[in-house]
Amino acid sequence: MRVLVVEDEAQLARALSINLRARHYAVDLAADGRSALELAARAHPDVVVLDLGLPDLDGIEVIRGLRGWTRMPIIVLSARHSSTEKVRALDAGADDYVTKPFGMDELLARLRAAVRRSQPGGAGAPVITTPTFTVDLAAKRVIRDGADVRLTPTEWHLLETLVREPHHLVGQRQLLQEVWGPGYTTETNYLRVYIAQLRRKLEPDPAHPRHLITEPGMGYRFEP
């Protein structure tokens, strides 16, 4: 598996490279945004680890440049801790966001998870179980109290997008683009309506959801 590391801090780039190669990953290094975009187009990595604070382009521009032609997983690695920056990166198309300083084991686990989610057939665990309902991603089924829950195609797509990212905030723009398409990224009322429908079908108390959580003004989070 090939990893593109985009990091202008030479010592950190070297540490990432050593750790990844020790685990049998092939590694390409880029120290700025333009080199990263050129290298990604040439080498076609399986996953990108991207610092946002680059000397030429902002990392958000690099994400958008990559998303113009590829769905390869992008894991942001950044010293920017604010929720606004995290939402910007996720909305631009990043798959995960890790803040510095970070643990190498955690980063590698997130990298493996991002690659698993990107592969055909879905996430590492194709069946997601909560105390209330079960989602079978491979069979595209939701079961509650031993019976199938009837979901519309849109409801399924929205639920699938959320359950593939357990515990992680999924931004409003990302959800709208994934489920409805790029022309709908400002239609946040769509999310309110469909999340409410999913809660009525899946939550034991839709007024006080335990699994489909709203992060006001930012997006939604799935808690198993």
Side-chain angles (χ1 to χ4, degrees):
M1 185 177 299
R2 182 169 293 276
V3 183
L4 171 58
V5 175
V6 188
E7 172 61 66
D8 66 325
E9 194 178 320
Q11 190 171 349
L12 178 55
R14 183 171 179 273
L16 285 167
S17 177
I18 290 170
N19 277 275
L20 288 165
R21 286 179 174 138
R23 290 162 176 84
H24 310 294
Y25 291 96
V27 181
D28 296 308
L29 296 175
D32 58 65
R34 290 186 177 84
S35 299
L37 291 172
E38 292 170 4
L39 197 49
R42 190 167 68 247
H44 293 282
D46 298 290
V47 60
V48 178
V49 177
L50 172 69
D51 181 24
L52 291 185
L54 299 171
D56 55 348
L57 301 176
D58 186 82
I60 301 295
E61 294 179 65
V62 177
I63 295 171
R64 289 180 180 139
L66 291 169
R67 283 291 171 257
W69 63 275
T70 180
R71 296 306 304 166
M72 69 178 69
I74 301 171
I75 300 175
V76 166
L77 196 60
S78 178
R80 303 175 189 177
H81 289 251
S82 76
S83 59
T84 302
E85 288 294 340
K86 293 178 183 178
V87 170
R88 283 184 68 222
L90 293 169
D91 280 349
D95 295 271
D96 203 349
Y97 194 109
V98 180
T99 54
K100 299 176 182 177
F102 61 91
M104 189 63 68
D105 287 341
E106 179 192 359
L107 174 64
L108 291 168
R110 287 175 181 252
L111 185 150
R112 290 191 297 270
V115 171
R116 282 198 304 269
R117 289 194 299 268
S118 73
Q119 291 170 345
V127 177
I128 293 93
T129 302
T130 78
T132 312
F133 59 89
T134 299
V135 183
D136 187 331
L137 291 170
K140 296 187 180 295
R141 294 176 66 199
V142 182
I143 301 165
R144 182 179 181 184
D145 299 327
D148 283 347
V149 179
R150 295 178 67 87
L151 298 182
T152 68
T154 301
E155 288 169 348
W156 168 260
H157 197 173
L158 180 57
L159 178 65
E160 180 186 32
T161 303
L162 288 169
V163 301
R164 288 188 187 279
E165 300 277 355
H167 311 296
H168 293 168
L169 170 70
V170 185
Q172 293 176 337
R173 287 176 61 88
Q174 181 184 348
L175 276 171
L176 287 162
Q177 181 159 321
E178 290 271 350
V179 179
W180 284 275
Y184 293 85
T185 53
T186 61
E187 303 290 344
T188 54
N189 59 307
Y190 283 28
L191 290 173
R192 286 192 293 271
V193 169
Y194 278 87
I195 288 289
Q197 291 174 189
L198 285 172
R199 284 174 176 157
R200 282 195 295 271
K201 293 181 178 183
L202 301 177
E203 294 279 5
D205 182 358
H208 301 91
R210 288 162 35 186
H211 305 296
L212 301 172
I213 310 300
T214 301
E215 297 288 355
M218 295 189 293
Y220 297 87
R221 183 165 41 84
F222 170 66
E223 289 293 343

